[in-house]
Amino acid sequence: MKIFLLPGLYNSGPGHWQSLWETSLPDAERVQQANWEQPERDLWVQTLSTAINACDDDVVLVAHSLGCALTAWWVAHHCNRDNYEGKVKGALLVAPPGVNRENFPAPSFAPMPTVSFPFPTVVVASDDDPWCEIEVAANWAGIWGAEFHNIGAYGHINGSSGLGVWKQGLDYLSGLLNRIKKGQKN
């Protein structure tokens, strides 16, 4: 199973858990976007779709921040829940951002899609995320049909959060992979 890492705005720096996972997990690969500073939704969705279609294996998406919105937009445009038999088998969405906020730096990602995901999904959020209120993240998780986890006060769950390789996140990923192997849905 291939793990596609989907960073958010400005990409994930060297101290970010996604970057650490990329170097430590043998099946992890970052999906590279052409413009990390001024993201355009349609281009990002097409880049993700191209990467998924080019992959010879099943895929699990591991998204952070704007990567969560990217995942939701990809699902909205490329999945049909009633007969979904695609390569993407699950998603771990960490710190979804408040794309609906006024002056959000990536306006083409608003509004956040409110579609049910056709594969097992886990959403992880923080009590004090400056980019999204915990209630908003929990609401999206419910709409998407995802398992939801509030991990407490860890900011935007990024490199500045001091999580290092983020063992708790690896545990969420492991649990998701086990559910996928057992054929369990959300």
Side-chain angles (χ1 to χ4, degrees):
M1 181 111 23
K2 192 71 167 175
I3 298 168
F4 277 171
L5 301 169
L6 309 178
L9 189 64
Y10 310 121
N11 203 349
S12 294
H16 195 290
W17 58 267
Q18 279 187 318
S19 297
L20 299 172
W21 288 13
E22 184 178 22
T23 60
S24 64
L25 298 176
D27 294 321
E29 176 183 327
R30 183 180 309 235
V31 174
Q32 293 291 342
Q33 297 292 342
N35 189 338
W36 292 106
E37 287 74 34
Q38 297 176 326
E40 288 297 326
R41 181 192 74 210
D42 293 342
L43 294 174
W44 276 38
V45 170
Q46 184 56 50
T47 297
L48 175 56
S49 186
T50 299
I52 291 167
N53 291 336
C55 186
D56 292 332
D57 204 350
D58 288 336
V59 173
V60 171
L61 304 175
V62 176
H64 178 259
S65 192
L66 196 59
C68 300
L70 167 62
T71 301
W73 278 105
W74 181 83
V75 168
H77 284 101
H78 295 277
C79 294
N80 179 335
R81 186 171 181 88
D82 294 333
N83 61 4
Y84 180 76
E85 295 181 19
K87 287 184 190 179
V88 176
K89 301 302 180 191
L92 174 61
L93 308 179
V94 180
V99 298
N100 299 338
R101 290 178 169 189
E102 189 174 324
N103 298 323
F104 184 74
S108 66
F109 284 83
M112 185 70 84
T114 54
V115 296
S116 181
F117 285 26
F119 42 72
T121 304
V122 176
V123 172
V124 180
S126 166
D127 274 339
D128 63 348
D129 188 335
W131 288 100
C132 187
E133 296 78 17
I134 193 73
E135 299 83 10
V136 172
N139 184 57
W140 284 331
I143 290 168
W144 296 334
E147 177 183 308
F148 180 73
H149 297 277
N150 175 349
I151 64 167
Y154 283 95
H156 197 46
I157 315 177
N158 56 13
S160 299
S161 299
L163 297 168
V165 74
W166 192 34
K167 183 185 177 329
Q168 184 180 26
L170 287 171
D171 290 344
Y172 290 134
L173 177 60
S174 178
L176 177 63
L177 292 172
N178 285 334
R179 284 173 43 206
I180 292 167
K181 288 176 187 168
K182 293 176 182 176
Q184 297 174 338
K185 297 286 184 185
N186 286 328

